[in-house]
Structure formats: C-alpha cells, structure tokens
Amino acid sequence: MVCWAVCSAAAAAASGAEPPRAAPQRPAGGEDIAWVWDHQAPPLRARAWAVTVTQLQLQGEGLHARARLRRLPPPEGRAVTPVVHVEQAPRATPGPLTPAQLSGIARRVHDAAATSTSGWVQLDFEARPSQRDSYHALVRQIRQDLPPRLRLSVTLLAWQCRSTAWIAPLAADELVPMFFRLGAQREAWMAMARDGGARLQPRCRAAAGFAPDALAPGQPPSWQRQWPRRYWFNLRPGRATAWDPDLESSLWPSP
C-alpha cells in the first residue's frame, strides 16, 4: 500500500531555471481528475485522483505544516497525483517568500512527489502579486530538483493566465487555471472557459479546474471536453465529503 502521508525524504535547495517540458501525450477524450481536499474521501468511480497530502500556511517568515486529516483508501491502480496546498495566514500582509519558506515548500513538494503513481506532483498556491518573483523562483527550484520522470503541475487564479508576466517565467509542466469562485466577473471568465481558453496565455489551455456547484445541474457541458485535463473540485458547503452521485456517474461512467 502506498504511503500517502508526507514522507521524510529530503531535497536540496537549488537555483537556476529549467525550460518547461512538453506535456505528455493525452488520452483520447482527455482526462477527468477528482481533486480531493485533505478532509475529503475521494469519489471511488474516479480513475484519477489529485490528493492534498500536506497543507502549508505562511506564518511570518516561516511555515506551519499539517498532513491530511482523513486517510485515503488504497488507490487500487488509480493514477494519484499528490498535491501540496499553500495558503496565507489570516489577516497577514503577503510579501515575498523568505528563504526558509522557499526551501520548506520545495522540500514538502519533493517529499510528496515520492508518493506519486501518476507521474505528476502538484503545487496549489494562490500567490499574490507581491509574491510573484519569489513564486517564480520557487517553481524553478521545485522543477529543477524533481527527477525528469516526474512532472510539475501548478494551479493558478484565472486572471493570472491573462498575464505574460505571470506565465512566461513559470518552469512548470502544466498550468491549471481555476474556473470557480470568480467573483463579480464570473460570467466573463466562464465565457473564456467555454471557448477553450483561446483568450488566455497559450500555456494555460491544456488543463483547467472546475467545480460542480459552479455549473448548471446535471451532466457537464460538452464544451469542457475542449480542455485535455479537467480537475474537479468538490466545493459543497461545510465539511461534506460526499460527491453528488449524478455528477460522479456522469464524469466517471462504469466501463
């Protein structure tokens, strides 16, 4: 059985950039991946999971870390991508990442990567404009330290995918704009999602994050098939762990 807790492998900090690798060949029709928060159980119909294994909070110049709150069932042959989530401390004023934060986040991502069965590891970090340069440095460090067989995915706010300054320096293999919790501009951003991201930076068009409660009820619309890889976030209110059965069966029908 795979160890889904963060393991104790160490990774050395590194500097310098490495060109992003080309994305691997996608299966026909793309892929639907269940994004599983640390308190949630995964949908068992799903054939691929992206699982939050560690939560990190930026506190002052350091980090506070905790592992998953809920144990996972055995993957049983599924492709599992470990995810490291980074968030700001409440009421904090975001600033550039400190050297301790850079090395700490990078180390946690590399520890998580050791559990991957999909060939991917993901960094989920809503970096603020004041953190942009240090965020780019963090992604370069992680990518350089990962072995070539592992690929790095990063989630992004949708608006960041319209900015060359945000996207061009990113040394990740996959960029995932998130099309939910979009605020007052929701309709404009969803229109961009429906046209396959044609108005986004080109590197932001291979994958996207969606949430069932941010879409109309029923089967996901056909326009989402324009996105080769689709991450699904369960944002049901409260501490719910269950997925809507109709959505689950429409995303991952029985063979």
Side-chain angles (χ1 to χ4, degrees):
M1 180 174 178
V2 178
C3 168
W4 296 114
V6 174
C7 302
S8 60
S15 59
E18 177 177 324
R21 291 167 169 75
Q25 188 68 32
R26 310 297 188 201
E31 185 175 18
D32 290 296
I33 303 159
W35 207 101
V36 186
W37 294 102
D38 71 319
H39 67 280
Q40 293 175 335
L44 296 181
R45 281 179 172 268
R47 293 181 283 276
W49 299 339
V51 175
T52 303
V53 295
T54 302
Q55 296 264 15
L56 297 175
Q57 188 175 86
L58 303 172
Q59 295 187 351
E61 296 187 356
L63 286 171
H64 173 73
R66 65 172 173 80
R68 280 190 64 82
L69 296 175
R70 184 179 183 125
R71 291 178 62 86
L72 289 170
E76 296 181 345
R78 291 180 181 86
V80 180
T81 297
V83 180
V84 174
H85 174 77
V86 181
E87 62 185 24
Q88 315 290 335
R91 297 178 295 278
T93 300
L97 300 174
T98 67
Q101 290 168 340
L102 286 167
S103 61
I105 296 169
R107 183 174 64 254
R108 292 288 184 163
V109 173
H110 282 266
D111 290 348
T115 71
S116 176
T117 63
S118 66
W120 291 87
V121 63
Q122 187 174 82
L123 173 66
D124 177 43
F125 179 17
E126 296 179 8
R128 308 295 174 82
S130 61
Q131 298 167 325
R132 188 180 69 189
D133 291 345
S134 56
Y135 172 71
H136 288 153
L138 170 65
V139 175
R140 285 196 301 271
Q141 178 177 328
I142 294 170
R143 179 57 272 176
Q144 181 163 314
D145 290 348
L146 283 174
R149 63 181 179 80
L150 287 173
R151 295 179 183 271
L152 175 62
S153 172
V154 297
T155 62
L156 293 162
L157 299 174
W159 69 264
Q160 293 168 335
C161 275
R162 298 206 70 189
S163 168
T164 301
W166 270 97
I167 300 309
L170 274 177
D173 302 296
E174 176 181 72
L175 312 184
V176 186
M178 295 178 287
F179 291 105
F180 52 88
R181 294 178 175 169
L182 298 168
Q185 300 299 314
R186 178 184 182 280
E187 290 307 317
W189 288 113
M190 291 309 295
M192 293 185 202
R194 286 191 290 271
D195 70 9
R199 287 173 282 175
L200 303 180
Q201 291 287 312
R203 294 181 60 209
C204 288
R205 300 174 191 170
F210 299 108
D213 58 335
L215 301 169
Q219 191 164 5
S222 59
W223 60 259
Q224 287 171 335
R225 301 297 168 186
Q226 299 176 82
W227 296 87
R229 280 162 57 91
R230 300 167 291 272
Y231 290 85
W232 289 93
F233 292 67
N234 181 2
L235 299 182
R236 299 179 78 178
R239 306 292 290 177
T241 63
W243 287 64
D244 179 86
D246 292 337
L247 177 81
E248 186 177 342
S249 61
S250 66
L251 285 171
W252 301 288
S254 299

